[in-house]
């Protein structure tokens, strides 16, 4: 194994061997696939850096996702192509999460697959940073969480056949690095790394380390930049947002006020505050409530409680009580209209008794949170909790199911039917049919609308409600994405989260990747549950307005494209049952399209016949 620090020692000229500037002809994000690359670039060759194709796979929280976007941006700026197809890639870059066993197992699976395919591998993220000597990482190049600005060096050396490791860093990566966003309308902005906590179950602290905050000026500068780029949502992300600035003599309200002052007055760009643990916002509740009331800030906050028992919170070393958590929730709910709070629960933490669990159930019943992330306890190697006496696995599973049933019995959006809400539309739902918008309280609203409404704001009438989201009809568009400036293009179909969602877990329900530190949320799972609609995939509520025909046509095209991908996947599995179901799905859309074409042809033919007879009769 060779260390990259040895490989790239300067030659006395101030420039390390092999260093080359980024390609000035490449616009980051505008072209991220091979077909967009300049025809002047040479054909891919192992000996020519910047001509290869990179596959990026991301596990974990929004912070990890932001890191992957930064790494993708730098690779793109240096000429590399990005692909969502691992088979056609020359190198795999895997950004890892260490929060839960399922995430690390999924990582192990993809690493094994890469090795068997003889693909050069680079592993980034919390796993190599926190467990650099892990057996799974033997013979693989690794890059640490604070070394993402040097990913190009690591990739180039790995493509040359070197095994390189870059883990030590004392300064934070710059915020103005090139970036290719997964969603071109959403900027994930890391405000700090690490945390001040010492939770007994948390492995992320081993990787992300102690608190390190970006300056207010650097963060406000980044906000100015992305707003000018046309970004419509800014997500503040960190291992604990509430702890921001305590290492540099400032606090979260100071940062929030500085950012809000730079948001467009027309409300076209919204700010969403990231996960915060109770201890660090208790002293700033009124100031934070004031920010959450601002028209450009979502009235939403993710505040993990983890348990309704003070005894278990003490064993977790969470540094707050249930009463203090309630103070946070009660205060924000009272001071902020439409306030929505998400929380996390860990079922089966070591030492949890039936009485402890019952207190947790009662807490959830009392507040009826619209979003609760329910996780089973996973002992992480090297943490104090891993050495504690475990609750039997069958008991943990039973408690998890019971709490899930309690949570799913709530109807948080009942009574919204008929209301008119302003929504910000930034995504396409996983069903390929609806567009995803959010209210001021960050309630998910699914609407049928043309794709050109992405990035716009609208007034929507709520037509029906479900357990996980509400359905709406767009009645007025407030602003259009045509006014946007150049936006970074999404990595083509880049799924940064699909492999880490263990279907046996209860990840109920998150609307975004969120912190994977003491929040203990394997949030890549939660991203997939976000776009889980409450109606069957083939059930459509069409808006009754002048755009109906346009919306229907756009829906049919999205639906057909989505089904095409699903059919290919299902046929590839070789399942006769899936094949039969897939063909039925094809019948639904294709027959509709063919029927429409046939009717159009017959109509034209009839008109021609009528015209012909009209000419004959006139003679």
């Amino acid at each position: 194994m060779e260390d990259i620090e040895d490989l790239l020692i300067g030659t006395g000229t101030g420039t390390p061997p092999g260093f080359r500037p980024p390609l000035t002809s490449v616009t980051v994000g505008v072209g991220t696939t091979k077909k967009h690359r300049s025809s002047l670039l040479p054909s891919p060759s192992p000996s020519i850096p910047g001509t290869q194709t990179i596959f990026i796979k991301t596990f974990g929280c929004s912070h990890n996702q932001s890191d992957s976007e930064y790494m993708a941006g730098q690779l793109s700026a240096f000429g590399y192509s990005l692909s969502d197809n691992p088979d056609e890639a020359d190198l795999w870059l895997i950004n890892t999460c260490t929060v839960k066993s399922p995430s690390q197992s999924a990582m192990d699976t993809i690493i094994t697959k890469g090795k068997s395919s003889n693909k050069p591998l680079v592993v980034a993220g919390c796993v190599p940073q926190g467990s650099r000597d892990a057996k799974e990482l033997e013979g693989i190049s690794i890059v640490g969480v604070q070394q993402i600005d040097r990913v190009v060096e690591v990739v180039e050396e790995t493509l040359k056949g070197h095994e390189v490791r870059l883990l030590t860093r004392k300064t934070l990566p710059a915020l103005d690095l090139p970036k290719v966003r997964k969603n071109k309308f959403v900027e994930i902005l890391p405000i700090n790394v690490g945390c001040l906590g010492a939770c007994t179950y948390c492995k992320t602290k081993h990787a992300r380390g102690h608190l390190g905050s970006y300056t207010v000026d650097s963060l406000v500068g980044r906000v100015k930049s992305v707003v000018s780029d046309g970004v419509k949502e800014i997500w503040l992300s960190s291992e604990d947002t509430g702890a921001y600035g305590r290492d540099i003599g400032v606090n979260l309200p100071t940062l929030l006020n500085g950012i809000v002052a730079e948001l467009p007055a027309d409300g076209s760009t919204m700010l969403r505050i990231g996960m915060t643990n109770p201890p660090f916002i208790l002293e700033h509740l009124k100031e934070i409530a004031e920010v959450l009331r601002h028209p450009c800030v979502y009235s939403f906050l993710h505040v993990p409680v983890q348990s309704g028992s003070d005894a278990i919170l003490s064993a977790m070393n969470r540094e707050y009580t249930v009463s203090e958590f309630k103070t946070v929730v009660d205060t924000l709910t009272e001071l902020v209209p439409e306030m929505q709070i998400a929380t996390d629960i860990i079922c089966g933490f070591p030492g949890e008794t039936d009485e402890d669990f019952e207190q947790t159930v009662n807490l959830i019943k009392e507040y009826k949170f619209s979003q609760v992330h329910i996780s089973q306890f996973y002992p992480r190697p090297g943490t104090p909790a891993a050495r504690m006496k475990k609750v039997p696995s069958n008991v943990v599973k039973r408690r998890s199911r019971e709490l899930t049933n309690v949570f799913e019995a709530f109807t948080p959006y009942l009574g919204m039917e008929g209301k008119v809400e302003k929504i910000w539309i930034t995504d396409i739902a996983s069903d390929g049919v609806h567009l995803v918008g959010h209210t001021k309280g960050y309630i998910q609203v699914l609407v049928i609308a043309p794709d050109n409404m992405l990035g716009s704001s609208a007034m929507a009438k709520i037509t029906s409600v479900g357990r996980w989201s509400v359905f709406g009809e767009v009645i007025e568009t407030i602003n259009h994405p045509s006014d946007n400036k150049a936006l970074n293009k999404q990595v083509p179909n880049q799924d940064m989260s699909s492999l880490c969602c263990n279907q046996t877990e209860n990840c109920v329900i998150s609307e975004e990747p969120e912190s994977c530190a003491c929040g203990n949320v394997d949030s890549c799972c939660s991203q997939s549950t976000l776009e889980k609609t409450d109606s069957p995939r083939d059930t459509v509520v069409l808006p009754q307005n002048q755009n109906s025909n346009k919306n229907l046509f756009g829906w049919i095209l999205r639906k057909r494209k989505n089904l095409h991908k699903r059919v290919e996947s299902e046929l590839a599995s070789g399942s006769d049952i899936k094949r039969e179901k897939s063909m039925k799905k094809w019948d639904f859309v294709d027959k509709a399209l063919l029927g429409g074409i046939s009717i159009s042809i017959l109509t034209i033919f009839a008109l021609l016949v009528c015209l012909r007879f009209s000419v004959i009769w006139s003679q």
Side-chain angles (χ1 to χ4, degrees):
M1 181 187 75
E2 298 176 78
D3 192 289
I4 196 169
E5 298 294 352
D6 296 328
L7 289 170
L8 299 177
I9 294 175
T11 60
T13 62
T15 303
F19 176 81
R20 58 191 179 84
L23 300 175
T24 56
S25 61
V26 175
T27 301
V28 179
V30 172
T32 56
T33 61
K34 286 184 176 179
K35 65 181 181 180
H36 289 296
R37 296 178 63 194
S38 170
S39 60
L40 298 177
L41 293 178
S43 300
S45 168
S47 61
I48 303 177
T51 63
Q52 296 84 4
T53 299
I54 311 297
F55 166 71
I56 301 177
K57 183 67 187 178
T58 305
F59 299 92
C61 63
S62 60
H63 200 158
N64 263 22
Q65 183 173 310
S66 177
D67 287 349
S68 288
E69 292 175 352
Y70 273 125
M71 289 189 285
Q74 293 170 85
L75 290 167
S76 180
F78 276 84
Y80 290 95
S81 294
L82 306 175
S83 174
D84 64 322
N85 185 347
D87 294 330
E88 74 175 18
D90 300 297
L91 177 143
W92 292 4
L93 171 59
I94 306 166
N95 197 358
T96 61
C97 174
T98 189
V99 172
K100 295 182 182 179
S101 299
S103 294
Q104 195 151 344
S105 296
M107 177 208 74
D108 295 344
T109 299
I110 195 171
I111 288 177
T112 300
K113 183 178 179 181
K115 286 181 176 179
S116 64
S117 302
N118 294 318
K119 297 287 186 180
L121 298 174
V122 174
V123 177
C126 293
V127 172
Q129 190 73 59
S131 306
R132 64 185 69 189
D133 296 325
K135 184 178 179 181
E136 295 79 10
L137 300 177
E138 292 180 0
I140 296 175
S141 293
I142 59 178
V143 56
V145 295
Q146 292 188 32
Q147 289 76 26
I148 59 172
D149 55 349
R150 296 183 65 182
V151 66
V152 174
E153 301 169 45
V154 178
V155 165
E156 292 188 351
E157 293 300 326
T158 302
L159 285 168
K160 293 175 185 176
H162 299 136
E163 176 192 344
V164 294
R165 300 196 166 201
L166 187 59
L167 293 168
T168 305
R169 177 72 175 268
K170 295 182 180 180
T171 59
L172 299 176
L175 292 172
D176 58 356
L177 296 170
K179 197 171 193 180
V180 176
R181 301 184 185 94
K182 181 183 177 185
N183 184 326
K184 63 185 178 181
F185 299 109
V186 177
E187 167 73 7
I188 302 174
L189 180 60
I191 63 173
N192 57 262
V193 300
C195 67
L196 295 175
C199 299
T200 56
Y201 57 80
C202 183
K203 181 76 172 178
T204 308
K205 180 67 176 283
H206 295 193
R208 293 284 183 179
H210 199 65
L211 182 68
S213 302
Y214 287 96
T215 65
V216 172
D217 288 344
S218 64
L219 291 165
V220 170
R222 180 65 181 178
V223 168
K224 289 180 181 179
S225 175
V226 301
V227 167
S228 68
D229 285 343
V231 162
K232 297 304 178 184
E233 282 189 6
I234 299 172
W235 298 0
L236 301 187
S237 178
S238 76
E239 281 61 61
D240 186 356
T241 303
Y244 168 79
R246 289 174 177 255
D247 58 319
I248 57 175
V250 294
N251 55 40
L252 181 61
T254 300
L255 172 65
L256 295 178
N257 288 323
I259 290 176
V260 167
E262 299 300 329
L263 299 178
D266 61 2
S268 57
T269 300
M270 295 293 288
L271 176 70
R272 200 196 69 191
I273 304 174
M275 187 279 290
T276 180
N277 288 307
F280 302 114
I281 60 170
L282 278 167
E283 63 187 89
H284 302 302
L285 280 178
K286 291 185 178 180
E287 294 94 330
I288 291 176
E290 184 176 355
V291 173
L292 289 167
R293 289 195 298 267
H294 192 279
C296 295
V297 181
Y298 284 120
S299 303
F300 171 83
L301 200 60
H302 177 191
V303 187
V305 62
Q306 305 298 11
S307 175
S309 164
D310 283 339
I312 296 302
L313 291 178
S314 177
M316 292 177 173
N317 197 29
R318 289 290 287 165
E319 300 180 343
Y320 60 87
T321 64
V322 175
S323 176
E324 289 172 328
F325 170 78
K326 288 183 175 182
T327 297
V328 172
V329 176
D330 292 342
T331 302
L332 294 179
T333 302
E334 177 185 355
L335 297 179
V336 183
E338 304 180 62
M339 186 69 199
Q340 296 284 319
I341 292 178
T343 195
D344 303 343
I345 297 293
I346 298 175
C347 289
F349 187 83
E352 183 184 66
T353 65
D354 288 340
E355 290 182 358
D356 294 325
F357 177 68
E358 189 62 29
Q359 291 177 43
T360 298
V361 172
N362 291 338
L363 178 69
I364 300 303
K365 285 182 177 179
E366 178 181 354
Y367 284 94
K368 293 182 171 59
F369 299 103
S370 59
Q371 299 177 42
V372 180
H373 310 264
I374 301 173
S375 303
Q376 298 174 25
F377 170 73
Y378 290 99
R380 305 305 294 136
T383 63
R387 300 188 295 271
M388 299 178 182
K389 185 177 180 180
K390 299 177 181 60
V391 175
S393 59
N394 62 320
V395 175
V396 176
K397 292 178 181 178
R398 175 179 56 79
R399 289 175 181 173
S400 177
R401 287 194 298 268
E402 180 181 339
L403 189 59
T404 299
N405 291 336
V406 168
F407 168 73
E408 291 184 344
F410 303 153
T411 53
Y413 308 129
L414 196 63
M416 287 189 67
E417 298 97 327
K419 288 186 176 181
V420 175
E421 299 273 357
K422 182 177 180 180
I423 62 172
W424 289 263
I425 302 172
T426 56
D427 210 347
I428 298 176
S430 60
D431 64 0
V433 176
H434 299 85
L435 298 187
V436 179
H438 290 95
T439 68
K440 175 71 161 62
Y442 212 68
I443 297 172
Q444 179 177 268
V445 182
L446 302 176
V447 298
I448 301 293
D451 288 359
N452 63 10
M453 285 199 67
L454 287 168
S456 68
S457 305
M459 300 304 296
K461 181 179 180 180
I462 307 303
T463 56
S464 62
V465 301
R467 178 59 188 84
W468 313 108
S469 54
V470 303
F471 296 85
E473 171 186 331
V474 174
I475 59 177
E476 178 187 356
T477 301
I478 297 175
N479 64 313
H480 298 276
S482 58
D483 299 327
N484 292 345
K485 297 184 179 180
L487 290 164
N488 285 352
K489 190 176 180 67
Q490 301 179 47
V491 178
N493 300 320
Q494 183 74 18
D495 178 5
M496 295 186 174
S497 59
S498 60
L499 287 183
C500 60
C501 184
N502 188 307
Q503 297 301 317
T504 63
E505 291 184 45
N506 298 305
C507 188
V508 193
I509 180 173
S510 170
E511 298 202 345
E512 74 290 330
E514 198 42 89
S515 173
C516 57
C518 294
N520 200 42
V521 181
D522 199 1
S523 305
C524 43
C525 172
S526 60
Q527 178 68 17
S528 64
T529 53
L530 152 67
E531 294 165 355
K532 167 182 177 182
T533 60
D534 296 280
S535 62
R537 289 184 181 269
D538 293 336
T539 300
V540 182
V541 182
L542 292 177
Q544 304 298 316
N545 60 28
Q546 60 196 23
N547 293 321
S548 290
N549 293 335
K550 187 186 220 178
N551 294 347
L552 177 60
F553 182 70
W555 168 77
I556 289 175
L557 291 180
R558 285 203 304 270
K559 185 68 175 174
R560 192 178 196 280
K561 181 179 179 181
N562 186 60
L563 287 178
H564 176 71
K565 292 179 181 178
R566 289 163 55 198
V567 167
E568 285 184 341
S569 175
E570 291 174 356
L571 290 179
S573 71
S575 169
D576 292 336
I577 296 176
K578 288 183 177 181
R579 184 178 291 110
E580 181 180 354
K581 289 181 178 178
S582 297
M583 295 309 297
K584 289 180 180 178
K585 293 171 185 175
W586 271 107
D587 288 344
F588 169 71
V589 177
D590 283 355
K591 286 182 178 179
L593 290 171
L594 290 173
I597 294 171
S598 299
I599 291 173
S600 299
I601 293 173
L602 289 174
T603 301
I604 293 171
F605 179 75
L607 289 173
L608 290 174
V609 171
C610 290
L611 181 62
R612 175 63 177 168
F613 278 113
S614 176
V615 172
I616 293 174
W617 291 338
S618 65
Q619 293 175 349

